[in-house]
Amino acid sequence: MSCIPKFRYFLANEKFPVRPTGSQWASVLPVSRTPQAPDPAGQSLTYGDYFNAVRVFLERHQYQAVIRALSGDNGDMDAAQIHAVRIFLVKHGQYYHPARIEIAYGKRIRFFVLNVAISAIAREMIKSEGTTLEFLCRRFPYAFLPKVYATGEVCTDDGQKLAMFLGQWFDGYHEFHLSRGDEGGQNRIILWDGKPVKCFLSSTQARAVYEKAALILTAYYNLATFEQISAWHHAAGDFVIKPAGDQIFMKLITVRQYIPLIENEKPDVQMILEALQLFLLKLSLHMGLDRLDGVGDLTWAGEMAVAGAVDGFFKGLMCQVTAGLIPGEILAGGRDYLAAVSRSEWMDRVVSMVEQYDSGLPGLSLMRSNLDQYVTCLYKSIADAGPCTI
């Protein structure tokens, strides 16, 4: 006997249902996390258009994408076992409008993410990202990135195209941002866990956040081709965390670009080391940038971000050694090379790097005004790291 799953629609959680007969269904969808932002494409996608398109994607080919995502638990399952689907519109990002998909089948419930791109530029990005995530998950033996189960496009009734990919949902992980602290107004990291009481991380947890982010980015850096995860932003909520005491578990939920840091088809050892230095500079300088509460003014995290980034950088290289991707000699040699760089040399290199940035880059003036403090902390953190043991 066939079963037609029951679909229900929500905004952030169960408190905000969206019904096809309600006024919200016909309301226009915001184009970003700042609702007042104009829609450059002049589109007027409604909540109903969005939820209908997501449903069409999930139902397509007898729930083929959903079955593929669930097949790790039961290879023999079919669509008849799916009895309920709940769709939660999580947020409106700069490019994507992700939904959390809750699938009830048999006696189990599983969660997935469905990233949805509306604008032309976002649709191109989502196609590229799906391919990149699949490549990185095959190439590297880590579990820091979401698996991708299916990609595709859906047209609304009035001809608007939405591109999507169904991916792994990291349950219990939440976005985080710098926020004004309750005491003294000092910036602290706040966990966006949806609870009414603000959850500020301790200083130990905050440093671990930056360490883990740097570890992940370094673990995916290709020392031979100089390919790196690029265009990541704390302000966009690219990293999500799950605190457990002083320990922080972290995932990177999006990869917009995976491109070479520099172009060189036949690098020698010296070039590999110089590129490693440049990678660490960019990593540790950008690590401290965020927007207050995700949407406010750009702000600088300071020394805890730089020191955490340096520790995470070396731990990320150790991940590559452990995975058999690079020899241990590269880690030890890289550590010795970086430790031999003087403070003035670090300053010259970072000034040269920043001067090449586009003048319209958000946060450029903030980086420039903090360069002296940044270099001091970077130099000390590398010296404090000590020799690498294999």
Side-chain angles (χ1 to χ4, degrees):
M1 180 178 177
S2 63
C3 174
I4 300 176
K6 180 179 180 180
F7 277 77
R8 295 182 66 190
Y9 313 96
F10 304 86
L11 298 184
N13 54 54
E14 292 90 343
K15 296 180 180 179
F16 303 100
V18 182
R19 299 179 177 88
T21 56
S23 60
Q24 184 85 53
W25 193 262
S27 299
V28 175
L29 199 75
V31 295
S32 73
R33 62 170 64 191
T34 51
Q36 69 274 18
D39 183 351
Q43 294 176 320
S44 57
L45 195 79
T46 65
Y47 283 88
D49 293 329
Y50 175 92
F51 285 119
N52 277 330
V54 170
R55 178 169 182 164
V56 168
F57 181 88
L58 297 174
E59 289 180 324
R60 184 174 285 169
H61 306 305
Q62 296 296 307
Y63 296 90
Q64 185 181 74
V66 175
I67 291 172
R68 184 181 301 124
L70 295 171
S71 62
D73 290 330
N74 185 352
D76 298 327
M77 76 163 293
D78 57 40
Q81 294 174 263
I82 303 169
H83 55 82
V85 179
R86 302 208 300 174
I87 302 168
F88 297 81
L89 176 49
V90 178
K91 71 175 184 179
H92 306 289
Q94 182 178 2
Y95 297 107
Y96 299 164
H97 300 254
R100 185 176 82 254
I101 309 298
E102 181 181 303
I103 307 291
Y105 65 105
K107 295 182 179 180
R108 299 200 60 184
I109 296 177
R110 286 280 302 279
F111 300 95
F112 301 95
V113 63
L114 186 71
N115 280 314
V116 180
I118 299 171
S119 69
I121 186 172
R123 292 199 304 272
E124 289 302 313
M125 286 177 60
I126 206 169
K127 293 175 186 176
S128 173
E129 180 170 359
T131 301
T132 301
L133 284 171
E134 289 177 325
F135 165 75
L136 292 175
C137 286
R138 288 195 308 268
R139 172 70 175 81
F140 294 90
Y142 316 128
F144 297 125
L145 302 176
K147 297 176 182 177
V148 176
Y149 303 110
T151 61
E153 275 194 348
V154 174
C155 273
T156 64
D157 291 340
D158 62 356
Q160 294 189 62
K161 291 182 179 179
L162 283 71
M164 310 179 190
F165 75 72
L166 183 67
Q168 183 180 7
W169 176 267
F170 297 120
D171 198 28
Y173 286 78
H174 302 284
E175 200 170 319
F176 62 90
H177 291 287
L178 285 171
S179 182
R180 295 292 186 198
D182 291 335
E183 299 178 5
Q186 185 176 5
N187 291 347
R188 297 174 61 189
I189 292 181
I190 189 171
L191 184 69
W192 280 15
D193 58 0
K195 296 179 181 178
V197 179
K198 290 184 177 181
C199 179
F200 286 102
L201 300 189
S202 68
S203 57
T204 300
Q205 289 174 317
R207 192 181 187 283
V209 163
Y210 296 113
E211 179 184 305
K212 281 297 178 68
L215 182 156
I216 290 172
L217 293 169
T218 306
Y220 288 98
Y221 174 59
N222 190 318
L223 277 78
T225 65
F226 309 132
E227 289 172 297
Q228 59 166 339
I229 293 174
S230 184
W232 55 271
H233 307 285
H234 285 313
D238 293 352
F239 293 93
V240 292
I241 60 173
K242 181 167 66 173
D246 286 340
Q247 192 171 5
I248 295 291
F249 296 94
M250 177 178 284
K251 305 289 185 180
L252 175 60
I253 60 174
T254 184
V255 177
R256 297 183 187 86
Q257 292 180 329
Y258 189 67
I259 56 176
L261 178 69
I262 55 176
E263 298 288 348
N264 193 307
E265 295 183 358
K266 296 181 180 180
D268 55 18
V269 173
Q270 182 64 27
M271 176 61 70
I272 289 173
L273 292 174
E274 290 178 1
L276 194 63
Q277 180 187 13
L278 180 59
F279 174 80
L280 175 58
L281 272 175
K282 293 190 69 174
L283 173 73
S284 54
L285 182 60
H286 287 262
M287 188 59 65
L289 285 177
D290 196 357
R291 289 190 180 276
L292 284 172
D293 298 309
V295 295
D297 294 335
L298 281 164
T299 189
W300 172 256
E303 294 184 8
M304 67 174 175
V306 180
V310 171
D311 284 351
F313 167 79
F314 286 117
K315 290 180 178 179
L317 290 179
M318 180 60 77
C319 282
Q320 295 209 33
V321 173
T322 302
L325 298 173
I326 62 172
E329 291 78 9
I330 289 289
L331 173 57
R335 162 68 183 84
D336 292 342
Y337 176 84
L338 295 172
V341 178
S342 68
R343 186 191 183 284
S344 61
E345 288 172 322
W346 280 114
M347 178 61 81
D348 290 344
R349 190 70 189 270
V350 74
V351 168
S352 176
M353 182 182 76
V354 170
E355 285 178 348
Q356 297 178 45
Y357 287 165
D358 187 288
S359 59
L361 179 71
L364 182 58
S365 61
L366 192 60
M367 285 188 281
R368 284 174 171 164
S369 64
N370 285 281
L371 282 185
D372 189 69
Q373 178 199 58
Y374 159 76
V375 171
T376 297
C377 185
L378 176 69
Y379 181 71
K380 181 179 184 301
S381 298
I382 293 172
D384 291 346
C388 294
T389 56
I390 309 301

